[in-house]
Amino acid sequence: MSAASTLSPDRSGEPAISKPGFVEEALPHMDAVYRFALRLVRGRESEAEDLVQSTFLRAYRSWESYTPGTKVLSWLFTICRNQFLRAEERRGRRPEVTESEVEANVESLAATAVFSEVSSADPEKAFFDSFVDEEVLRAVDALPDPYREAVVLSDLEGLSYPELVEILQVPTGTVKSRLFRGRRLLQQALYDYALEMGYVRPRSRI
């Protein structure tokens, strides 16, 4: 996405790129914000573009509240998510998903998983690092909102736990729990596909 297509003058008619530092710090992250927005809206491109525009306009109008040199991408992701949540509330289409709704399914996966052995300190993350394509993105889009947000921010955008805590406004333990459960649900959805493509090998059963 280009700055020209996404940014527009604010209500006073002042160009959105006139505030000192905005171009240098905020605009280079437009593609990352678009990727995040696209996953928030489950791949609907027109909605993602609208969300990016509202995010950067909000960021411009709030630019004085940003501390130069700090984590601008986390700040932009936070704005993007908040804009998304407000839009979903207005549309009445963001049902609450409780942790218990997928608890039994996830715990069952943890006990009976047949995914390949991976030599890694974080084998679940290695599973997702091995391939990212349209099949994966479709599976990501199908995740319940809390898990989708955590997986996208961690495994697709590479953010740290502290950054996820800041953006999602939940404790570290909740971030880890959502990420674990989201990855397990993705593994369930993608296992057959990964086998077919040769990304993983099934464990031999005793």
Side-chain angles (χ1 to χ4, degrees), residues 33-104:
V33 173
Y34 177 72
R35 289 194 304 269
F36 182 47
L38 195 61
R39 302 280 65 83
L40 286 176
V41 300
R42 302 180 188 273
R44 297 185 291 268
E45 293 183 1
S46 62
E47 289 187 29
E49 291 171 0
D50 290 343
L51 182 54
V52 171
Q53 177 166 318
S54 67
T55 295
F56 276 87
L57 288 177
R58 175 68 66 178
Y60 165 67
R61 291 166 184 156
S62 305
W63 189 241
E64 289 78 8
S65 68
Y66 168 71
T67 303
T70 58
K71 297 175 181 177
V72 68
L73 183 56
S74 295
W75 186 69
L76 290 169
F77 279 161
T78 300
I79 294 173
C80 182
R81 180 174 180 267
N82 288 339
Q83 294 292 103
F84 167 71
L85 293 177
R86 291 191 187 99
E88 292 293 277
E89 288 172 1
R90 287 195 298 268
R91 294 167 179 150
R93 70 181 191 190
R94 183 180 170 88
E96 288 297 321
V97 178
T98 63
E99 302 289 332
S100 61
E101 288 184 50
V102 295
E103 180 75 25

Side-chain angles (χ1 to χ4, degrees), residues 41-202:
V41 300
R42 302 180 188 273
R44 297 185 291 268
E45 293 183 1
S46 62
E47 289 187 29
E49 291 171 0
D50 290 343
L51 182 54
V52 171
Q53 177 166 318
S54 67
T55 295
F56 276 87
L57 288 177
R58 175 68 66 178
Y60 165 67
R61 291 166 184 156
S62 305
W63 189 241
E64 289 78 8
S65 68
Y66 168 71
T67 303
T70 58
K71 297 175 181 177
V72 68
L73 183 56
S74 295
W75 186 69
L76 290 169
F77 279 161
T78 300
I79 294 173
C80 182
R81 180 174 180 267
N82 288 339
Q83 294 292 103
F84 167 71
L85 293 177
R86 291 191 187 99
E88 292 293 277
E89 288 172 1
R90 287 195 298 268
R91 294 167 179 150
R93 70 181 191 190
R94 183 180 170 88
E96 288 297 321
V97 178
T98 63
E99 302 289 332
S100 61
E101 288 184 50
V102 295
E103 180 75 25
N105 189 24
V106 169
E107 293 306 319
S108 175
L109 280 171
T112 62
V114 290
F115 308 110
S116 65
E117 297 283 0
V118 181
S119 178
S120 171
D122 190 351
E124 291 170 342
K125 189 173 190 302
F127 177 89
F128 297 104
D129 286 344
S130 64
F131 60 97
V132 176
D133 57 19
E134 290 304 313
E135 188 73 22
V136 176
L137 295 180
R138 281 193 290 271
V140 169
D141 289 346
L143 289 173
D145 289 347
Y147 309 108
R148 187 172 74 256
E149 293 169 345
V151 168
V152 168
L153 291 170
S154 174
D155 294 338
L156 299 187
E157 296 301 331
L159 272 61
S160 65
Y161 284 142
E163 290 172 316
L164 266 68
V165 167
E166 179 183 349
I167 293 168
L168 301 178
Q169 294 295 295
V170 295
T172 301
T174 302
V175 166
K176 292 180 178 180
S177 175
R178 289 181 181 180
L179 188 54
F180 171 80
R181 292 180 173 119
R183 286 171 171 175
R184 286 298 189 186
L185 292 173
L186 273 182
Q187 285 179 333
Q188 182 183 42
L190 293 171
Y191 181 57
D192 289 341
Y193 170 76
L195 276 177
E196 179 183 348
M197 299 299 295
Y199 292 123
V200 298
R201 301 182 308 278

